[in-house]
Amino acid sequence: MNKPLKLIKIGNSTGVILPKEVLARLRVAQGDALSVVETSDGISLSRADSEFEDQMAVAREVMARRRNALRELAK
């Protein structure tokens, strides 16, 4: 699928309107969260996984607390 998208002004920000076909392929609706990831091919949009985000928050907390131990293990 190759669809040109138009950027629009939304307050002090810039937004894009996704066609309903794109929303259907992403399996998202208005109000859902998307995850934006930079890849070697460009930018990837996917439906946000709240369980994954919760797990990553816990992992970041552990890594911050155990920073020195992890640094030693990496040597």
Side-chain angles (χ1 to χ4, degrees):
M1 174 185 303
N2 186 5
K3 288 193 166 265
L5 302 175
K6 184 176 181 180
L7 298 176
I8 60 171
K9 183 170 179 64
I10 302 173
N12 290 331
S13 300
T14 301
V16 64
I17 296 175
L18 299 175
K20 63 182 176 181
E21 298 86 16
V22 173
L23 296 174
R25 291 204 46 187
L26 288 169
R27 292 175 284 140
V28 295
Q30 187 174 9
D32 290 345
L34 291 176
S35 178
V36 179
V37 178
E38 186 172 356
T39 68
S40 60
D41 294 330
I43 300 291
S44 172
L45 281 180
S46 61
R47 183 171 48 160
D49 183 352
S50 61
E51 184 178 326
F52 175 76
E53 292 301 325
D54 293 342
Q55 291 171 348
M56 286 304 296
V58 171
R60 285 184 191 100
E61 180 184 328
V62 170
M63 288 186 287
R65 274 190 287 132
R66 304 291 183 203
R67 188 171 137 202
N68 292 337
L70 291 171
R71 184 178 293 128
E72 288 299 315
L73 287 170
K75 288 183 181 179

